[in-house]
């Protein structure tokens, strides 16, 4: 099949970027989107041009590296797909395809389609962990957790941190990512001791990273390759309100009599 | 105090402020619409004045034993003003953050779940803000009223105020904007306060739709009925002339 690609080329964060047009012939409908870029890069190298820089690692939809916006949609047109899992049979023969990086102030472009997502790492560092004593792993069934709770926590934990939620959000908000990480730990018994500290610190860090503010469009949920629900955003808001309310109370439970 | 500041400093805190003030404003607007429907209550046979005027007088006298004439009314007004200001200030601050968060837009725009309602919140909100100012100048102070505005004669003021065709048109358009704002806003409020869940999400969406539709129909009925003379009252040319003369 034939393809007309418009790919965002940008030398560095400091330089201005632009779309460049590439016409491709004989693309196999069975190849993945990343393989098309590989093919294109081979042609570019043969012509002595600089290849397109893009991120990839696992190529099986679990690492969250392959970030690019394809025709206005993070990871392309198919729901619940990463770019590496997207096949060309989902495009029409002769299609025009725009490929651009995540567009967010918190994700500066490194080069071409590669963006710097260390803002996500800093959100995790601010509270996305549990404190456990070292030693051998505890007996798995020593802390019983309900099936529903564990499923909800597990669904949040499927987040691969790709950043599609931020890319899709018209506000450039990281609410879904942050909410998924907060809920995944906050739901489980091991996450309880730091639960309220965690939500306050992670929301605070999210704000420091130049992300926008969620207005509940729900675009993140559509774009998420793991289908993470915006119910976690509701849970994050709830925990945030509770955490603030808990701060109002005296930690030792002292009550004013007069 | 530090706690309040820390809470408000975060985006989630500002959103909660928007949700709570939004709730106050929605509740007020529902009450306002209910009161407006007195427009259809007709004339009180005993006094010969319109029941809507009685209702307006009641709003001034309620609680007057405790708080003096129009005391409660003014408390409500100040409360609403504070709610509006907090709602607007948070909205402006959050919008600026969000606009800075996406410095360059995509070459192809594609929306899958954002609706015209959710995408027009900012513009609709600005329009409603201007409308509220005009509306107060129109029927509360009478500054921009068509002709013959008289304090306390609410029914007559409505009848004359809605005579030029563009006035009811502006009001109906504003109510459409309000309905659109609340179609997303009411549900968004639940989500921001963290009370939504998949189990009752349909219920939350449903409440938003019902509020939007009822407010649109209820509010629009008054300007339309006044303009087209669909209601009994002093809409006769002679009564109109008398109002204009006075
Ligand atoms: S390359 Fe790992 S998810 Fe696509």
């Amino acid at each position: 099949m034939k393809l007309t690609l418009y790919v965002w080329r940008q030398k560095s964060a400091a330089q201005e970027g632009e779309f460049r047009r590439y016409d491709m012939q004989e693309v196999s409908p069975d190849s993945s989107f990343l393989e098309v870029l590989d093919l294109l890069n081979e042609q570019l190298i043969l012509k002595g041009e600089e290849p397109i820089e893009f991120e990839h690692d696992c190529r099986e939809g679990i690492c969250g590296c392959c970030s690019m916006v394809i025709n206005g949609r993070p990871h392309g047109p198919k729901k619940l797909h990463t770019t590496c899992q997207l096949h060309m049979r989902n495009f029409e023969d002769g299609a025009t395809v725009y490929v651009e990086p995540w567009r967010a102030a918190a994700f500066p472009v490194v080069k071409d389609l590669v963006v710097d997502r260390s803002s996500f790492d800093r959100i995790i560092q601010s509270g996305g962990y549990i404190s456990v004593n070292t030693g051998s792993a505890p007996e798995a069934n020593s802390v019983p957790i309900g099936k529903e709770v564990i499923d909800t926590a597990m669904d949040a934990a499927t987040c691969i941190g790709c950043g599609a939620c931020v890319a899709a959000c018209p506000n450039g908000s990281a609410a879904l990512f942050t909410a998924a990480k907060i809920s995944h730990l906050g739901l489980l018994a091991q996450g309880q001791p730091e639960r309220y500290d965690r939500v306050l610190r992670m929301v605070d860090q999210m704000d420091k990273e130049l992300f926008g503010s969620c207005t509940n469009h729900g675009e993140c949920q559509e774009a998420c390759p793991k289908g993470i629900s915006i119910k976690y955003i509701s849970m994050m808001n709830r925990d945030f309100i509770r955490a603030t309310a808990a701060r109002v109370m005296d930690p030792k439970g002292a009550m004013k009599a007069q | 105090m530090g706690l309040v500041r820390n809470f408000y400093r975060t985006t989630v805190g500002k959103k909660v402020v928007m949700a709570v003030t939004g709730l106050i404003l929605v509740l007020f607007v529902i009450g306002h619409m209910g009161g407006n429907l007195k427009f259809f209550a007709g004339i009180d046979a005993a006094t010969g004045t319109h029941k809507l005027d009685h209702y307006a007088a009641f709003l001034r006298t309620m609680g007057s034993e405790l708080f003096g004439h129009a005391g409660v009314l003014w408390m409500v007004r100040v409360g609403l003003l504070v709610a509006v200001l907090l709602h607007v200030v948070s909205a402006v601050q959050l919008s600026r953050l969000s606009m800075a968060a996406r410095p360059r837009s995509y070459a192809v725009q594609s929306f899958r779940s954002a609706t015209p309602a959710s995408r027009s919140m900012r513009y609709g909100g600005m329009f409603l803000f201007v409308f509220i100012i005009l509306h107060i100048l129109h029927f509360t102070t009478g500054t921009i009223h068509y002709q013959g505005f008289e304090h306390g004669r609410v029914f007559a003021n409505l009848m004359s105020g809605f005579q030029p065709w563009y006035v009811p048109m502006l009001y109906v358009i504003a109510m459409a904007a309000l309905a659109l704002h609340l179609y997303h806003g009411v549900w968004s409020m639940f989500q921001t306060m963290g009370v939504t869940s998949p189990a009752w999400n349909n219920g939350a969406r449903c409440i938003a739709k019902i509020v939007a539709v009822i407010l649109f129909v209820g509010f629009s009925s008054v300007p339309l009925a006044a303009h087209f003379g669909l209601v009994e009252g002093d809409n006769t040319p002679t009564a109109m002339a008398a109002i204009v003369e006075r």
Side-chain angles (χ1 to χ4, degrees), chain B residues 132-151 157 160-161 166-167 171:
Chain B
I132 292 169
I133 295 174
L134 289 177
H135 177 52
I136 291 173
L137 291 177
H138 192 195
F139 283 130
T140 308
T141 66
T143 321
I144 57 168
H145 191 272
Y146 173 54
Q147 239 171 338
F149 180 85
E150 221 181 296
H151 275 287
N157 289 340
S160 54
Y166 51 83
V167 179
Y171 272 74

Side-chain angles (χ1 to χ4, degrees), chain B residues 201-219:
Chain B
N201 190 49
N202 284 346
R205 282 268 11 123
C206 204
I207 292 176
K209 284 179 198 165
I210 290 173
V211 168
V213 170
I214 287 189
L215 285 179
F216 178 70
V217 174
F219 269 131

